[in-house]
Amino acid sequence: MAKLIGKNRIKTAVFISGNGSNLKSLIFFSKKKISPIQISLVISNNKRARGLNYAKKYKINKFSIIYKNKKNAEFLMLKKLKKNNIKLILLAGFMKILSKKFILSFKHPILNIHPSLLPKYKGLNTHERVIKNNEKFTGCTVHMVNKKLDSGKIILRKKIKIYKKDDAKTLEKRVLKQEHKLYPKAIGKFLSNL
Ligand code: GRF
């Protein structure tokens, strides 16, 4: 990974839609001496996303896109990515599904973090569903993005126990805390294997 450190950090874009707590932890990670990434761009499909405040605070180039027309939105995003010389995309709570065309056009890796132990519980409302199914464990997964939703190669997972007193809210909080540690760890693992 040594070759990525210092000036050669990989230029990274983080895609968000909401709170951006993962974005915050990724920014902290990118500021570490040993970090292999430099976050150069934050893209949001929602101009009111709270996470955009982190981009502002840490002076990172940000871009919100109106997603009325997916084809147009993706075209504009690809243009931005190219202009900023982005070589890695990190999806962090991005609530839009990228088209196959987008994934094929961006010639570099795209990673995502998902709040379940994939391949179980793909899609939305994972915490509600694990509680409803009386699961004993849940967790989070960092995986590569391919054209099938939440189905790309798994890079790392973190398992957590579900307690009797847990509900979707308490689980969300505990899983998020683990997500903030898992994503940087998975990026390090992924990039050192390239
Ligand atoms: C996280 O649980 C992430 O796994 C999921 O969306 C949530 C985003 O949270 N894809 P935040 O915006 O990073 O706080």
Side-chain angles (χ1 to χ4, degrees):
M1 202 200 294
K3 63 182 192 294
L4 293 171
I5 293 172
K7 280 194 182 130
N8 298 321
R9 289 170 192 237
I10 188 159
K11 292 196 101 192
T12 302
V14 182
F15 283 30
I16 61 164
S17 299
N19 283 338
S21 67
N22 277 289
L23 167 64
K24 184 181 171 198
S25 90
L26 291 170
I27 293 174
F28 286 177
F29 172 61
S30 74
K31 293 195 176 300
K32 289 194 173 159
K33 262 201 189 132
I34 50 122
S35 175
I37 61 163
Q38 173 196 334
I39 301 177
S40 314
L41 183 65
V42 172
I43 290 185
S44 171
N45 64 302
N46 164 17
K47 68 174 194 276
R48 272 185 264 280
R50 277 180 54 198
L52 284 171
N53 293 327
Y54 296 118
K56 197 172 167 207
K57 182 165 175 197
Y58 294 98
K59 300 191 172 50
I60 300 167
N61 201 356
K62 58 180 177 0
F63 178 58
S64 1
I65 183 91
I66 300 163
Y67 236 84
K68 260 189 201 145
N69 175 328
K70 184 166 181 147
K71 215 170 147 189
N72 192 37
E74 290 192 340
F75 173 77
L76 291 175
M77 294 199 297
L78 282 168
K79 223 168 123 185
K80 272 273 172 205
L81 293 165
K82 203 163 180 189
K83 196 172 157 218
N84 285 276
N85 202 18
I86 299 297
K87 299 283 193 275
L88 173 70
I89 295 176
L90 302 175
L91 305 182
F94 185 62
M95 300 305 284
K96 296 285 177 189
I97 297 172
L98 296 170
S99 71
K100 184 177 162 191
K101 191 162 174 240
F102 180 97
I103 294 164
L104 292 177
S105 306
F106 182 72
K107 304 278 181 225
H108 310 283
I110 308 178
L111 307 186
N112 181 40
I113 186 149
H114 183 76
S116 79
L117 288 172
L118 288 175
K120 285 177 106 179
Y121 300 99
K122 296 174 182 174
L124 296 174
N125 306 319
T126 55
H127 306 305
E128 284 83 352
R129 289 188 284 143
V130 297
I131 296 267
K132 205 170 155 204
N133 288 348
N134 289 315
E135 295 282 0
K136 301 255 178 307
F137 295 94
T138 185
C140 45
T141 307
V142 176
H143 65 95
M144 296 203 59
V145 171
N146 64 11
K147 49 190 203 277
K148 264 181 92 189
L149 184 69
D150 299 329
S151 299
K153 188 170 181 275
I154 290 172
I155 300 165
L156 270 185
R157 281 187 300 198
K158 173 73 186 177
K159 190 171 172 181
I160 74 158
K161 195 169 166 28
I162 302 175
Y163 301 110
K164 283 218 168 68
K165 58 175 196 286
D166 269 321
D167 58 24
K169 273 269 161 268
T170 58
L171 257 197
E172 182 186 10
K173 224 171 143 187
R174 291 217 323 284
V175 172
L176 256 183
K177 219 168 152 188
Q178 295 306 322
E179 290 184 34
H180 301 156
K181 295 185 197 159
L182 190 74
Y183 217 166
K185 213 165 147 190
I187 293 164
K189 180 180 176 201
F190 175 74
L191 292 176
S192 63
N193 284 336
L194 279 186

